[in-house]
Amino acid sequence: MTQPTPEDRPDTWRGIDLTRIGDGRYKATNARGGLVPIGSGGDDPDFTPVELLLAALAGCAAVTVDELTSRRAEPLSFDMTAEGHKVRDDGGQHLTGIKVTFDVTFPEGEAGDAARAFLPRAVQQTHERICTVSRTVELGTPVDYTVAEPPQPAP
């Protein structure tokens, strides 16, 4: 995929390019030049695609919940886990029992109390309507896989 130029793409467009960099290893590049190495789960430290999905679920929720709660008080710590079970059944390979857990600590005092009190609501709002990643997973959006046309020789 060649990413459209900023002038050609609508505000809704999101995309990455993926390039093979070795045996079972790839790099994803975004339009801003950011890189993420991806591995097949061998001996390299790269994230696997499943781990990236879990990271995307946690990351999307973290950005939103942190923004909403930090308006009340800066957290002393903000940690999360995202986990699930990779299974193979009649539906093919997929994750089941996906769980995203927030472990957030706020300072003592009125602002910290307000942030602590708001945290469950922020998590609920993020889950039910704000986080694009979890909403897409839960709603089930079709994915279209295609093969690029080979370049035509010049006449």
Side-chain angles (χ1 to χ4, degrees):
M1 166 183 92
T2 301
Q3 298 177 359
T5 61
E7 302 80 33
D8 296 339
R9 62 182 180 227
D11 291 342
T12 59
W13 182 89
R14 303 293 185 272
I16 59 99
D17 287 320
L18 187 98
T19 302
R20 185 178 192 265
I21 58 173
D23 187 19
R25 298 191 68 220
Y26 311 85
K27 72 173 178 178
T29 307
N30 66 21
R32 297 173 309 283
L35 302 172
V36 174
I38 301 170
S40 60
D43 294 330
D44 60 67
D46 300 339
F47 279 73
T48 67
V50 171
E51 292 166 338
L52 287 171
L53 175 62
L54 293 170
L57 287 165
C60 185
V63 167
T64 304
V65 170
D66 191 22
E67 179 184 340
L68 293 171
T69 57
S70 292
R71 292 176 187 166
R72 289 150 180 85
E74 278 294 313
L76 298 174
S77 66
F78 194 108
D79 300 299
M80 296 177 65
T81 57
E83 58 191 321
H85 296 274
K86 184 177 175 185
V87 299
R88 173 187 247 157
D89 58 21
D90 293 341
Q93 294 190 72
H94 58 104
L95 291 177
T96 63
I98 297 173
K99 181 179 179 183
V100 178
T101 303
F102 289 81
D103 185 4
V104 184
T105 306
F106 295 101
E108 293 300 319
E110 189 175 322
D113 292 345
R116 256 186 305 286
F118 186 69
L119 179 62
R121 183 168 177 225
V123 170
Q124 180 183 11
Q125 288 177 340
T126 296
H127 174 73
E128 291 179 355
R129 63 181 184 84
I130 300 172
C131 176
T132 304
V133 178
S134 65
R135 299 304 312 140
T136 302
V137 169
E138 288 195 348
L139 293 173
T141 300
V143 178
D144 183 24
Y145 284 85
T146 61
V147 175
E149 295 292 326
Q152 299 298 316

